[in-house]
Amino acid sequence: MKEEHEELHEELIKATEMPGKVGQAAKNVAKVLHPHFEKENELALPEIGIARELAEGKTSPDFNAARRLCIEFKQEYVKMLQEHQEIVKALDELEMVAKAGGRRNVVEFSRKLKLHAMTEEALTYPVVLMMVRS
């Protein structure tokens, strides 16, 4: 997931460097996305890294630290979902101006990032929340 965040971030940087409305809309996405990715990298990624071990009944010296992060994540969960709404709203604007400007690659990027957010909400976040109960 960290690699996916890095790839998405690189694509977003390219879009922010575009002139006009597309570049400005991409900067608006970056403004809400960057702190959100940082929070996910801090609070969700470590747990995802040990989820398989936990599911297989294995132990890890990382379990205690991951459990503390799960608890922190649970406290941030509603805010993170709200951040997704803000990100998607900014992406909708980016997609609209990218379509109007003929920037197909930016339209595809917007769709890919929306799919990423949906996957987090449907899979990643619930896995982290279930780990709190483990």
Side-chain angles (χ1 to χ4, degrees):
M1 194 161 115
K2 186 175 182 182
E3 291 82 10
E4 186 177 4
H5 280 179
E6 289 171 3
E7 179 184 318
L8 291 167
H9 186 72
E10 287 175 19
E11 288 183 62
L12 181 57
I13 288 172
K14 290 176 188 173
T16 64
E17 294 169 349
M18 292 181 178
K21 291 180 181 180
V22 172
Q24 186 56 52
K27 288 174 187 164
N28 292 339
V29 171
K31 184 178 174 181
V32 293
L33 183 66
H34 182 70
H36 180 79
F37 270 5
E38 285 185 349
K39 192 183 312 179
E40 282 181 342
N41 289 343
E42 176 188 341
L43 296 179
L45 287 184
E47 295 93 300
I48 296 302
I50 65 161
R52 183 175 181 165
E53 292 171 329
L54 186 62
E56 292 173 352
K58 297 178 182 175
T59 60
S60 169
D62 299 327
F63 281 175
N64 287 336
R67 182 161 175 72
R68 284 190 299 276
L69 289 173
C70 287
I71 292 167
E72 286 182 52
F73 177 85
K74 186 176 181 180
Q75 294 169 347
E76 293 288 324
Y77 176 65
V78 171
K79 186 172 187 325
M80 293 181 79
L81 291 176
Q82 290 169 343
E83 290 170 358
H84 272 189
Q85 290 174 347
E86 294 172 26
I87 292 164
V88 168
K89 184 178 176 182
L91 285 167
D92 286 343
E93 176 68 21
L94 176 59
E95 186 174 344
M96 184 180 72
V97 298
K99 275 183 188 175
R103 298 290 189 153
R104 184 171 165 74
N105 59 325
V106 178
V107 171
E108 290 303 315
F109 163 77
S110 296
R111 292 178 180 165
K112 183 170 31 172
L113 187 48
K114 286 185 225 179
L115 179 61
H116 174 85
M118 288 175 22
T119 301
E120 287 178 341
E121 290 179 18
L123 182 63
T124 306
Y125 289 4
V127 166
V128 174
L129 291 172
M130 285 190 308
M131 291 177 74
V132 172
R133 297 185 192 128
S134 298

